[in-house]
Amino acid sequence: IFTSSSAFHNFVEIIKKYNIDIQNLKLASIGKSTTKTMEEYGVKPVFTAKQSNNEGIVEEIKQLFTISS
């Protein structure tokens, strides 16, 4: 889960050194700005929190793992 664009930029620089394909990773974003940065690298996050804070992330995780009947 990325909480800022700069954190994602830094992550990309680090994983380049290890030849990791970023497209194979499941990543998430705290908000629209961070998602935009991720998309610039061709990454579609699993989710973007509707509220750009910890509570927003928790809500998205709860929804992701809730099994509907």
Side-chain angles (χ1 to χ4, degrees):
I1 299 172
F2 288 93
T3 58
S4 71
S5 292
S6 61
F8 186 74
H9 283 296
N10 293 334
F11 175 75
V12 170
E13 291 304 312
I14 291 168
I15 66 168
K16 280 183 187 177
K17 297 175 186 176
Y18 299 98
N19 296 321
I20 297 171
D21 183 0
I22 197 167
Q23 303 301 321
N24 292 330
L25 304 176
K26 303 291 185 203
L27 307 173
S29 167
I30 194 168
K32 293 178 184 178
S33 177
T34 304
T35 293
K36 182 179 177 206
T37 300
M38 294 170 80
E39 289 172 343
E40 289 171 1
Y41 285 92
V43 174
K44 183 177 184 336
V46 173
F47 68 77
T48 300
K50 291 176 185 69
Q51 292 180 338
S52 297
N53 57 28
N54 291 338
E55 289 81 9
I57 290 172
V58 169
E59 286 303 314
E60 293 297 328
I61 291 170
K62 284 170 43 179
Q63 288 181 12
L64 187 64
F65 290 101
T66 299
I67 300 172
S68 58
S69 48

